[in-house]
Amino acid sequence: MTGAGTAGSAGVYLRPAGVPDERADAVRAILTELWGGPVTVMPAGAASAAIAAALRAGGGLAFHSSGTTNASTCAVFDAATRRRHVAAVLATVGLTDDLTWCAMPAPGYAYGLSIVETHAAAGIEVTFLPRQDQARQLATFAATARWPLGLYLTPQALPVLLAAGLPAEAVRRVVVAGGRLSDAGARALTARFPGVDLTNMYG
C-alpha cells in the first residue's frame, strides 16, 4: 500500500515490512484525521533519496522505531515539531561540508530519518551504507571517498567501524545516537582514530 504521491500530502507514514495491511490502513486513517489531509504511505526500507523526496513537503511524519534498544513503537510528529527537531540538531551537531558523510543506520527509522532531514536542511550530502556486511561496505566506501569522513552510527555498530580497517586519519567525526556509548567504547574509538570529534546524542 502506498500513497498516490507527496503532492498535497499532509504527511508521510514510513511503514516497516512487518506491519500488516489492516494495521497500516488504520494508522493512515488516524493520521489523515489528525493532520487534516491525505497521508503518503511508503516503505521504511525505501532508498534514502526517495524518503528525502517524500519528506520535502514538510508535513507530519509517522515512523516506527527500529527496535534496536527497545520494542518498536510508532512515533508521530507534526510539521512544527519536525522543524524544531531539525533546528535543534543542526545547532548542536554543527554539520560541515568539509567532511564526507556516511551513515550506518537505516534511513527509514528514527535515527536515519533525523540524518535524512538534517542533511537535506543543511544541503550537505550523506551516503547511507547498505545493511549487509557493513564493515566491507564501509571499507569500500572509504577507499573511494574523499577523506576525512564523518560517520553516523549506533553504539551497537561501533565494532563494525573498528573492524573495517580504515586508516587512523580517515575518520574525523563520529556521531552516535540510538543509545549511550560506553566509556570503553569511547576509549576504543579514540585510540583507533586519534583526534576524532565524538558526539553522543543519547539522552
Side-chain angles (χ1 to χ4, degrees):
M1 176 187 66
T2 59
T6 58
S9 175
V12 176
Y13 170 44
L14 275 293
R15 173 192 176 183
V19 174
D21 288 347
E22 59 272 16
R23 183 178 171 196
D25 287 341
V27 170
R28 180 165 62 172
I30 292 169
L31 294 175
T32 298
E33 182 176 356
L34 178 66
W35 293 333
V39 173
T40 297
V41 181
M42 66 183 307
S48 59
I51 293 172
L55 297 181
R56 205 166 289 137
L61 173 63
F63 60 89
H64 292 257
S65 62
S66 65
T68 302
T69 54
N70 289 296
S72 178
T73 57
C74 184
V76 179
F77 296 96
D78 60 20
T81 301
R82 282 179 60 194
R83 289 192 295 271
R84 287 195 302 270
H85 169 267
V86 170
V89 173
L90 289 176
T92 303
V93 174
L95 290 179
T96 59
D97 60 4
D98 59 335
L99 303 176
T100 302
W101 288 94
C102 175
M104 298 172 72
Y109 295 91
Y111 187 18
L113 283 166
S114 176
I115 297 166
V116 169
E117 291 226 89
T118 52
H119 274 260
I124 297 175
E125 184 178 354
V126 58
T127 298
F128 283 83
L129 293 180
R131 301 295 293 162
Q132 298 77 26
D133 194 7
Q134 282 201 321
R136 182 180 61 82
Q137 299 282 358
L138 180 55
T140 300
F141 177 81
T144 59
R146 177 180 60 87
W147 296 349
L149 303 179
L151 299 175
Y152 293 97
L153 67 153
T154 62
Q156 294 84 357
L158 179 59
V160 177
L161 169 58
L162 298 176
L166 304 188
E169 65 274 17
V171 179
R172 179 186 296 168
R173 187 84 189 275
V174 173
V175 183
V176 180
R180 181 183 178 276
L181 185 65
S182 68
D183 291 342
R187 287 194 297 269
L189 180 64
T190 54
R192 181 68 186 79
F193 303 105
V196 68
D197 182 355
L198 172 62
T199 302
N200 193 174
M201 298 200 304
Y202 180 71

